[in-house]
């Protein structure tokens, strides 16, 4: 059901001609903020800033939710229509076309302005009068607007003034000077610096024969400008005064089109665009849609901010698009490199305005002294022009704001390493964050510079170069330039030079990558700079705020603003909520800075705090995931340890899911940098997550690093632990010889340590190993010994599991009745002690025995329970095995659909794990359901 939102005067909303109650003043301010950015998601923080200003009260968030609830009740209709939507980006007000009076005003004003420009004042006048008639007073009259809302409303007011001037021009052209003059005087009483309005007033007075009044009006304009800005009237107004003085102005003369204060040429200041531009199609489409030509474009200034890390190609993109779009800007292009992060001093807004005013034709002697006066003149000159303004390499929003046009049809493109968020909030800028190139775009860049033949001939080396440079355009361009200068130089040689991460910046030194990074580094506060250096010690691929706090040795709350500072300058990327990534080249740069700036002791202390954070977060999580595992003696936590609380299995599993790629790198780094005990203990904790999920390649890498670390420090227990876990991973990966070596080595070490709990465990594992390779007699011997040792030490978990292994082996050798006896006893014990993982394995064994006894229905019931318990423990590998057996039991029950369903589930698991067993199960599926895809 349509609503009418009236902003141009007191804020009112009506539905079917009936007013809608809008609630308290603050609630109306929330609506005003949403109405000024319709159809755009505004975060809660932005809304609070827009409504309460920079000092929001503690209750602001709760109050905001109350106001939004009230507005929803007022605006939503009974038919279920929702006007205020909650989106991932915040809150969004849905407004249909023409529901806002300001949109109808802009459309009518645009039609009138187009007719005026076409020389048809008769058609222009009614449209412009219609637009002005929509105003019932100042926009949002009566509301106490905070600063950010005031700045947005000022732009609407500026559009009204421009329309007033256009309306006066049309009526002057129609010979209605007598009716226009009073309205112009009233306008100038409120806004005495508008030179175009003075021009119209002087023309109107001249038309009715009041030449003295016209000359007096010029003197009034001169005084007002001098008192307020210290500058003289512009060239157009001065020429008009001279024409009136010498009777050169025709009786019906009128300024029908927009003013041309300085009568300049068409500035074309864009620098040369980089040749061989590739990719960025989505970004170019966004720039076309936001800044490109549109029919009946309202008189608004569109702004896009392009931000990103140093070397990502912000200027390249801006200039490429600007050159491509020059036809959309018939009045020219202005460009300034603000040098916000250069070695040289940044360009001040005052100096940039001087350059722009000169380009616009203002003589140096007429350029005002103050920044505000220069900005005012600059905005007046651009008010009626369609120009592109490129503000390159800006440092912050304060450097940019004086250079923004106030009204008109100009477009502004800003590049910066800073996110310039306040320009988005206050000026409505559209943010565009530029990421590194994709692999395909990187290849196209190298092809454009080196030629297709050279890149295709060394495709593998090209891919390595792309990954070594982190797909950063600057780094790729440096490599391309080096190879272009050496046509016979193999790409593989450069790839080899870039291979060691610690030497990459040195190899890219001729492109000044370090120096360009340093400009961003020097803009940081002292603590943020220290955090960046310490982030160079983190192996990646990403980290949380807790890990950053551990590195810095500060509370989590103290690190949050530092992370925001690094993110704002694109030295970090928050690629997921609370997860931060550092580009590989920036990581190398940060590590160099740490090496040069921080003492060895400080770096070592920071690294230990980091390892301490991960160990004392991972260990409690591993205990939750595998409560029956034998505990390990843990490295004691540091006094100010930062760790993640692990209240339950769900939290622990989610944490490991997010962190396991990090933990693998942290573990290897700890093993290689003198923190071997941390590496061994992290490997134990990580196995609790990796092994049940069938992540055997990752488990192999983790335990190999742990074994090497344990051997370096002579820790026999850690060697046994790593060897045991290595053996299991190798067995799953099909390396029988290596698995045999490590399982025997673990057995020897546990016997040497006289650790009977671990001995029982490794004997069960040895049983599984022998079973895997068909050595059933040997397996039975080891299972009997595992049962004996478990009973000797009174370990009921180990005893029950050994009984299950013994029963399963009886089933494999054909003694199914004894298998059922052993497994039933094992299951009864496991239910008593609540060993859910043990129950899952034993139920699988029982199902196998029952199936071989000719009772597939009973077998299927056991398998179903087993699958459920494996799911509860997230043991996907064994869940897949049991699903295969469940499918076989269902097939034996003459239930092909149920068999197919079980096998499809198994295939999905094996495909996720990358296990080739998926192909074997596909053959089973084809047996009962030919042509059925694995869903």
């Amino acid at each position: 059901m349509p609503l009418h939102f009236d902003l141009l005067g007191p804020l009112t909303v009506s539905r079917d001609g009936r007013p809608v109650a809008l609630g308290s003043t603050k609630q109306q301010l929330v609506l005003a903020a949403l109405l000024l950015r319709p159809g755009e998601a505004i975060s809660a923080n932005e809304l609070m800033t827009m409504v309460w200003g920079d000092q929001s009260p503690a209750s602001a968030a709760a109050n905001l939710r109350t106001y939004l609830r009230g507005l929803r009740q007022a605006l939503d209709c009974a038919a279920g229509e929702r006007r205020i939507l909650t989106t991932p980006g915040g809150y969004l007000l849905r407004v249909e076309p023409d529901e806002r009076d300001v949109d109808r005003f802009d459309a009518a004003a645009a039609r009138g302005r187009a007719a005026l420009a076409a020389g048809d004042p008769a058609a222009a006048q009614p449209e412009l009068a219609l637009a002005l008639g929509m105003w019932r007073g100042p926009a949002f009259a009566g509301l106490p607007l905070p600063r950010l809302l005031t700045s947005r409303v000022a732009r609407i007011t500026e559009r009204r003034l421009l329309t007033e001037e256009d309306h006066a021009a049309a009526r002057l052209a129609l010979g209605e000077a007598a009716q226009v003059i009073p309205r112009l005087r009233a306008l100038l009483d409120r806004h005495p610096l508008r030179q175009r309005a003075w021009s119209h007033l002087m023309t109107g007075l001249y038309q009715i024969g009041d030449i003295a009044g016209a000359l007096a009006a010029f003197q009034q304009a001169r005084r007002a400008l001098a008192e307020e800005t210290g500058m003289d009237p512009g060239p157009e107004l001065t020429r008009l005064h001279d024409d009136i003085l010498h009777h050169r102005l025709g009786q019906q003369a009128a300024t029908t089109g927009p003013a041309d204060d300085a009568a300049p040429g068409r500035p074309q200041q864009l620098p040369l665009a980089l040749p061989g531009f590739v990719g960025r199609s989505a970004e170019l489409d966004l720039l076309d849609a936001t800044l490109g030509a549109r029919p009946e474009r309202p008189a608004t200034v569109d702004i896009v901010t392009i931000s990103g890390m140093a070397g990502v190609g912000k200027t390249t993109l801006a200039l490429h698009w600007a050159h491509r779009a020059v036809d959309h800007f018939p009045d020219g292009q202005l460009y300034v490199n603000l040098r916000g992060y250069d070695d040289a001093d940044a360009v001040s807004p005052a100096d940039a305005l001087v350059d722009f005013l000169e380009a616009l034709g203002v003589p140096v002697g007429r350029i005002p002294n103050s920044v505000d006066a220069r900005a005012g003149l600059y905005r007046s000159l651009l008010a009626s022009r369609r120009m592109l303004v490129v503000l390159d390499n800006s440092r912050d929003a304060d450097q940019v704001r004086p250079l923004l046009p106030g009204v008109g049809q100009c477009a502004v493109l800003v590049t910066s390493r800073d996110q310039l968020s306040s320009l988005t909030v206050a000026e409505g800028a559209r943010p565009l964050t530029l990421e590194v190139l994709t692999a395909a775009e990187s290849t196209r860049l190298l092809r454009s510079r080196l030629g297709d033949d050279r890149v295709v001939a060394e495709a593998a080396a090209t891919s390595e170069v792309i990954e070594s440079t982190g797909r950063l355009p600057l780094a790729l361009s440096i490599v391309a330039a080096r190879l272009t200068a050496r046509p016979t130089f193999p790409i593989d040689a450069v790839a080899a030079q870039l291979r060691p991460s610690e030497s990459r910046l040195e190899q890219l030194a001729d492109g000044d990558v370090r120096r360009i990074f340093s400009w961003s580094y020097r803009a940081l506060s002292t603590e943020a700079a220290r955090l960046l250096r310490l982030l160079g010690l983190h192996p990646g691929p990403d980290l949380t705020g807790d890990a950053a706090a551990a590195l810095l040795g500060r509370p989590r709350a103290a690190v949050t603003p530092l992370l925001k500072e690094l993110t704002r300058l694109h030295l970090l990327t928050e690629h997921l909520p609370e997860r931060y990534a550092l580009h590989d080249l920036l990581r190398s740069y940060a590590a160099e800075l740490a090496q040069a700036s921080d003492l060895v002791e400080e770096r070592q202390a920071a690294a230990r705090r980091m390892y301490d954070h991960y160990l004392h977060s991972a260990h409690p999580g591993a205990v939750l995931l595998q409560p029956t595992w034998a505990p390990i003696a843990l490295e004691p936590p540091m006094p100010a340890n930062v760790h993640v609380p692990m209240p339950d299995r769900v939290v622990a599993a989610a944490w490991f899911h997010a962190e396991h790629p990090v933990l693998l790198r942290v573990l290897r780094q700890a093993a290689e940098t003198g923190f071997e005990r941390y590496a061994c203990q992290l490997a134990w904790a990580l196995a609790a997550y990796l092994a049940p999920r069938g992540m055997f390649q990752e488990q192999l890498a983790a335990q190999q690093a742990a074994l090497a670390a344990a051997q370096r420090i002579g820790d026999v227990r850690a060697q046994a632990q790593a060897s045991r876990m290595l053996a299991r991973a190798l067995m799953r990966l099909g390396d029988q010889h290596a698995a045999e070596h490590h399982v025997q080595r673990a057995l020897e070490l546990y016997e040497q340590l006289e650790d009977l709990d671990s001995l029982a465990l490794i004997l069960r594992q040895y049983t599984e190993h022998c079973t895997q390779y068909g050595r059933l007699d040997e397996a039975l011997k080891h299972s009997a010994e595992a049962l004996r040792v478990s009973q000797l030490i009174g370990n009921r978990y180990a005893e029950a599991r050994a009984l299950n292994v013994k029963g399963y082996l009886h089933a494999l050798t054909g003694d199914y009745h004894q298998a059922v006896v052993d497994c039933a006893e094992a299951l009864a014990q496991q239910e008593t002690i609540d060993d859910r993982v043990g129950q899952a394995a034993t139920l699988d064994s029982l199902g196998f025995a029952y199936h071989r006894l000719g009772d597939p229905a009973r077998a299927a019931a056991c398998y179903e329970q087993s699958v459920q318990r494996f799911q509860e423990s997230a043991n996907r590998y064994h869940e897949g095995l049991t699903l295969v057996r469940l499918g076989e039991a269902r097939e034996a029950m003459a239930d092909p659909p149920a068999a197919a369903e079980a096998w499809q589930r198994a295939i999905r698991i094996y495909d996720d794990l990358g296990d080739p067993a998926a192909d074997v199960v596909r053959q089973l599926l084809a047996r009962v359901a030919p042509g059925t895809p694995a869903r």
Side-chain angles (χ1 to χ4, degrees):
M1 188 176 296
L3 290 167
H4 285 285
F5 298 97
D6 293 325
L7 293 60
L8 306 181
L11 175 60
T12 63
V13 180
S14 60
R15 178 185 280 114
D16 291 337
R18 293 189 296 274
V20 174
L22 299 179
S24 67
T25 298
K26 286 293 187 192
Q27 186 163 299
Q28 292 183 52
L29 286 173
V30 173
L31 177 58
L34 293 168
L35 279 170
L36 287 169
R37 291 165 64 178
E40 179 181 345
I42 308 177
S43 70
N45 286 336
E46 281 187 77
L47 274 175
M48 287 187 288
T49 303
M50 294 171 79
V51 172
W52 280 277
D54 295 330
Q55 301 298 321
S56 300
S59 61
N63 290 342
L64 176 63
R65 289 192 291 271
T66 300
Y67 299 146
L68 287 164
R69 186 163 55 250
L71 288 172
R72 283 186 171 121
Q73 291 170 354
L75 301 180
D76 294 349
C77 72
E81 179 186 43
R82 298 295 302 275
R83 285 305 185 123
I84 298 178
L85 308 177
T86 302
T87 72
Y91 300 98
L92 177 150
L93 175 65
R94 189 171 58 79
V95 176
E96 299 298 331
D98 292 333
E99 285 190 334
R100 294 193 315 165
D101 58 356
V102 69
D103 295 325
R104 298 193 298 276
F105 160 76
D106 283 334
R111 292 192 298 270
R113 190 169 296 114
L116 192 63
D120 189 354
Q125 191 276 334
E127 294 287 1
L128 296 166
L130 174 65
L132 293 170
M134 297 178 193
W135 285 77
R136 299 168 289 111
F140 296 109
L143 277 181
L145 300 176
R147 179 180 61 84
L148 291 180
L149 292 183
T150 299
S151 67
R152 285 184 170 272
V153 170
R155 278 178 276 170
I156 300 176
T157 304
E158 182 69 22
R159 302 207 294 272
R160 175 186 182 177
L161 295 174
L162 185 63
T163 304
E164 288 270 15
E165 292 169 348
D166 288 336
H167 185 236
R171 296 190 71 180
L172 288 172
L174 293 171
E176 300 175 5
Q179 293 83 3
V180 171
I181 289 171
R183 190 160 180 159
L184 284 168
R185 288 196 186 279
L187 185 153
L188 287 164
D189 285 342
R190 301 189 308 273
H191 305 282
L193 302 183
R194 299 194 68 85
Q195 295 194 49
R196 187 175 178 220
W198 282 112
S199 174
H200 290 339
L201 177 60
M202 291 166 62
T203 301
L205 290 167
Y206 184 86
Q207 285 183 2
I208 65 172
D210 188 357
I211 296 174
L215 296 174
F218 177 79
Q219 296 305 322
Q220 286 178 282
R222 181 195 292 275
R223 284 194 299 272
L225 290 165
E227 290 170 2
E228 295 289 333
T229 68
M231 67 185 218
D232 291 331
E236 194 276 341
L237 200 59
T238 301
R239 282 197 303 273
L240 178 61
H241 171 262
D242 191 60
D243 288 343
I244 292 172
L245 189 63
H246 294 90
H247 301 283
R248 288 194 294 263
L249 197 64
Q251 188 68 15
Q252 298 300 318
T255 307
T256 58
D260 188 8
D261 290 343
R266 183 175 181 267
Q268 298 181 12
Q269 294 187 326
L270 294 178
L272 180 69
L274 186 69
F277 182 89
V278 299
R280 307 297 195 194
S281 57
E283 291 85 355
L284 291 170
D285 288 345
L286 184 148
L287 291 171
D288 284 339
T290 308
L291 303 181
R294 294 200 298 261
E296 293 194 2
R297 187 185 189 90
T300 57
V301 175
D302 293 315
I303 307 168
V304 172
T305 60
I306 303 176
S307 63
M309 68 177 289
V312 80
K314 300 179 292 294
T315 299
T316 301
L317 172 64
L319 291 179
H320 177 79
W321 183 84
H323 280 282
R324 196 176 80 163
V326 289
D327 290 343
H328 299 325
F329 304 99
D331 296 315
Q333 308 89 41
L334 296 171
Y335 171 89
V336 61
N337 180 0
L338 293 169
R339 299 202 301 270
Y341 295 89
D342 285 8
D343 286 329
D345 292 336
V347 175
S348 69
D351 290 342
L353 284 166
V354 169
D355 292 340
F356 280 175
L357 290 171
E358 285 191 69
L360 292 167
V362 179
V364 175
R366 291 186 176 275
I367 294 177
N369 292 323
S370 73
V371 176
D372 288 345
R374 290 177 184 176
L377 178 57
Y378 165 70
R379 288 177 180 136
S380 296
L381 293 173
L382 294 189
S384 57
R385 293 183 171 82
R386 175 74 174 130
M387 297 188 73
L388 174 65
V389 181
V390 181
L391 307 176
D392 194 17
N393 195 22
S394 61
R395 187 179 188 88
D396 52 35
D398 289 340
Q399 192 185 22
V400 169
R401 278 198 175 93
L403 307 178
L404 299 177
V407 72
Q409 293 186 303
C410 290
V412 183
L413 198 48
V414 187
T415 73
S416 180
R417 300 180 195 184
D418 191 299
Q419 290 179 340
L420 302 178
S421 300
S422 64
L423 287 184
T424 302
V425 174
E427 277 74 25
R430 176 74 180 267
L432 193 168
T433 301
L434 203 58
E435 306 293 348
V436 296
L437 297 172
T438 64
E441 289 171 337
S442 301
T443 303
R444 286 171 55 196
L445 187 151
L446 293 177
R447 282 174 178 251
S448 71
R449 309 286 179 85
L450 305 178
D452 288 349
D453 292 345
R454 196 172 179 187
V455 169
V456 171
E458 293 192 73
T462 300
S463 296
E464 187 175 352
V465 165
I466 288 169
E467 291 310 307
S468 295
T469 56
R471 307 196 306 277
L472 187 68
L474 173 63
L476 285 167
S477 296
I478 292 168
V479 171
R482 183 184 302 174
L483 288 167
T484 301
R486 301 171 178 84
T488 61
F489 208 70
I491 299 176
D492 184 66
V494 174
Q497 292 170 346
L498 293 171
R499 207 163 287 147
S501 59
E502 63 273 9
S503 67
R504 284 174 189 166
L505 287 177
E506 195 60 46
Q507 295 301 322
L508 300 170
D510 51 354
D512 284 336
V513 172
R514 277 196 193 92
R515 182 169 63 89
I516 291 168
F517 285 167
S518 73
W519 298 338
S520 297
Y521 174 69
R522 288 200 298 271
L524 295 171
S525 65
T526 302
E527 276 293 271
R530 178 169 176 256
L531 176 57
L532 179 66
R533 296 197 301 272
L534 295 180
L535 290 178
L537 305 178
H538 191 282
D542 62 2
L543 79 162
T544 62
D546 290 317
L551 275 166
L552 199 58
R554 297 282 304 279
R556 177 68 175 84
V559 175
T560 298
L562 305 180
L563 291 168
K564 287 183 177 178
E565 184 176 349
L566 293 173
T567 303
R568 180 171 56 81
L569 293 175
H570 290 282
L571 291 165
L572 270 184
T573 300
E574 190 177 9
H575 67 104
L576 290 171
E578 288 294 306
R579 297 201 72 85
Y580 301 88
L582 188 69
H583 190 276
D584 287 345
L585 292 179
L586 273 171
R587 191 186 309 281
S588 298
Y589 176 69
E592 283 188 1
L593 290 173
Q595 191 78 19
S597 305
D598 300 317
L599 297 175
V600 174
E601 295 81 3
E602 293 176 355
R603 297 199 303 273
Q604 290 288 94
R608 185 181 175 192
R609 289 193 298 268
M610 175 180 69
Y611 301 138
D612 206 60
H613 157 73
Y614 284 115
L615 177 61
H616 289 280
S617 300
H619 182 267
V623 171
L624 285 167
L625 295 181
Q626 302 294 344
T628 64
W629 281 19
I632 61 172
L634 204 62
E635 192 81 1
M638 297 178 70
N641 170 263
V642 177
H643 66 278
V644 178
M646 296 289 171
D648 53 46
R649 286 174 54 87
V650 174
V651 172
W655 185 82
F656 272 109
H657 177 73
E659 294 288 353
H660 74 269
V662 179
L663 292 170
L664 284 166
R665 294 192 184 195
V666 166
L667 187 161
R668 286 196 295 267
Q669 180 174 290
E672 295 165 359
T673 55
F675 293 90
E676 287 88 354
R677 293 198 187 281
Y678 280 107
C680 296
Q681 293 167 10
L682 274 170
W684 179 89
L686 191 51
Y689 174 80
L690 297 177
R693 286 158 181 79
M695 301 172 73
F696 300 121
Q697 286 291 355
E698 292 86 346
Q699 173 78 318
L700 178 66
Q703 301 308 326
Q704 284 175 333
L707 179 58
Q711 289 170 338
R712 277 197 297 275
I713 60 176
D715 188 330
V716 176
R717 186 174 300 279
Q719 290 177 51
Q721 171 186 295
S723 292
R724 177 177 64 80
M725 293 179 170
L726 256 180
R728 185 175 294 279
L730 288 162
M731 183 182 72
R732 299 298 187 211
L733 292 170
D735 191 339
Q736 178 181 356
H737 177 74
E740 181 90 22
H741 166 75
H742 284 292
V743 74
Q744 288 182 350
R745 180 60 178 157
L747 182 61
E748 294 168 3
L749 292 173
Y750 284 131
E751 288 174 340
Q752 176 185 328
L753 290 167
E754 299 181 355
D755 181 349
L756 296 184
D757 283 297
S758 297
L759 186 61
L761 178 61
I762 193 63
L763 283 167
R764 291 203 313 274
Q765 185 174 325
Y766 207 171
T767 300
E768 183 181 356
H769 177 85
C770 294
T771 303
Q772 175 83 8
Y773 297 109
R775 292 150 43 190
L776 298 184
D777 291 341
E778 191 178 350
L780 278 167
K781 182 183 73 172
H782 290 312
S783 73
E785 181 65 9
L787 180 60
R788 185 190 71 79
V789 173
S790 300
Q791 292 170 333
L792 178 66
I793 60 178
N795 187 327
R796 297 188 67 194
Y797 285 96
E799 180 184 350
R801 293 193 178 192
L803 268 172
N804 170 50
V805 170
K806 179 170 171 282
Y808 181 64
L809 284 168
H810 280 305
L812 287 176
T813 56
D815 192 349
Y816 304 120
H817 291 287
Q818 184 60 47
V820 169
V821 170
D822 289 338
C823 291
E825 182 182 351
L827 184 61
Q829 289 192 28
Q830 289 165 338
E831 288 173 342
T832 301
I833 59 179
D834 197 28
D835 180 5
R836 307 283 288 181
V837 177
Q839 291 172 41
T842 303
L843 285 163
D844 176 78
S845 300
L846 274 171
F848 180 77
Y850 283 131
H851 195 177
R852 294 301 184 273
L853 283 169
D855 192 349
R858 196 168 185 179
C862 291
Y863 287 143
E864 292 281 9
Q865 295 179 65
S866 175
V867 167
Q868 181 181 351
R869 284 165 175 73
F870 278 133
Q871 286 177 333
E872 291 170 0
S873 62
N875 193 323
R876 301 197 73 207
Y877 178 78
H878 285 98
E879 180 189 349
L881 286 176
T882 304
L883 281 167
V884 174
R885 291 178 176 173
L886 175 60
E888 292 170 342
R890 295 297 188 194
E891 183 184 25
M893 295 167 62
D895 190 351
E901 194 270 338
W903 286 333
Q904 286 176 323
R905 289 166 62 189
I907 289 168
R908 287 198 295 272
I909 290 174
Y910 285 137
D911 281 341
D912 287 347
L913 299 178
D915 194 313
D919 294 333
V920 177
V921 186
R922 283 189 174 89
Q923 294 174 12
L924 296 176
L925 179 62
R927 192 167 70 199
V928 298
T932 301
R935 296 190 303 274

